[in-house]
Amino acid sequence: MHKYELMVILDPTIEERTVAPSLDKFLNVIRNASGTVDNVDIWGRRRLAYEIAKHSEGIYAVVNMTATSAAVVELDRQLKLSEAVLRTKVLRADEAVVNIKPVEVPEVSAEEAAAEKPAKKAPAAKTATKKAE
């Protein structure tokens, strides 16, 4: 069993009060497969970055759950079959965490830094020849 995060964008034409019961119907797939639904967070109606199926708004919902991969695949399949669902995205929660390791950079002395910089030539000579032409 792994922890997953599901984001769903629903059709904005449905009533906002019916969002929770309709999501609960889909989440029974997880419960029937001995998984748990940890948190359901309904964000409400939001403007989309681009139109999806001729809709410029959508009702967002985020669900945190613990389940088997087979149950999550079945849940995603059923959500995609529903006409009320515009988009879904399922992430494994441990994959969403990013570990950044610092890189050690050796110190460079002033002499080494000066040796690496190439000497700059004066561009005045080129501009003088262009003006003469």
Side-chain angles (χ1 to χ4, degrees):
M1 298 267 243
H2 296 285
K3 291 192 175 286
Y4 291 92
E5 182 176 280
L6 166 71
M7 177 170 265
V8 182
I9 303 175
L10 299 167
D11 190 340
T13 59
I14 64 173
E15 293 285 327
E16 285 194 47
R17 60 185 170 85
T18 63
V19 171
S22 62
L23 275 177
D24 195 46
K25 179 185 73 171
F26 289 114
L27 294 176
N28 281 334
V29 171
I30 300 297
R31 292 184 189 104
N32 292 339
S34 69
T36 60
V37 177
D38 303 327
N39 186 25
V40 178
D41 188 14
I42 300 172
W43 292 2
R45 193 176 307 269
R46 302 279 172 110
R47 186 157 187 78
L48 301 173
Y50 55 90
E51 285 191 359
I52 300 174
K54 298 183 181 180
H55 294 289
S56 60
E57 289 184 335
I59 299 172
Y60 282 70
V62 178
V63 179
N64 295 322
M65 58 193 161
T66 305
T68 61
S69 61
V72 172
V73 168
E74 177 61 20
L75 171 66
D76 195 37
R77 185 188 74 80
Q78 288 188 13
L79 284 169
K80 287 182 180 177
L81 290 176
S82 173
E83 291 180 9
V85 177
L86 298 178
R87 285 280 193 277
T88 62
K89 181 71 173 183
V90 179
L91 291 175
R92 232 171 92 175
D94 56 337
E95 290 177 1
V97 177
V98 177
N99 294 326
I100 300 174
K101 296 180 182 176
V103 177
E104 291 187 29
V105 179
E107 290 190 29
V108 178
S109 67
E111 294 170 354
E112 292 173 334
E116 290 181 10
K117 290 184 181 177
K120 291 186 177 180
K121 295 183 180 179
K126 289 183 179 180
T127 57
T129 56
K130 287 183 180 178
K131 289 181 181 177
E133 293 175 5

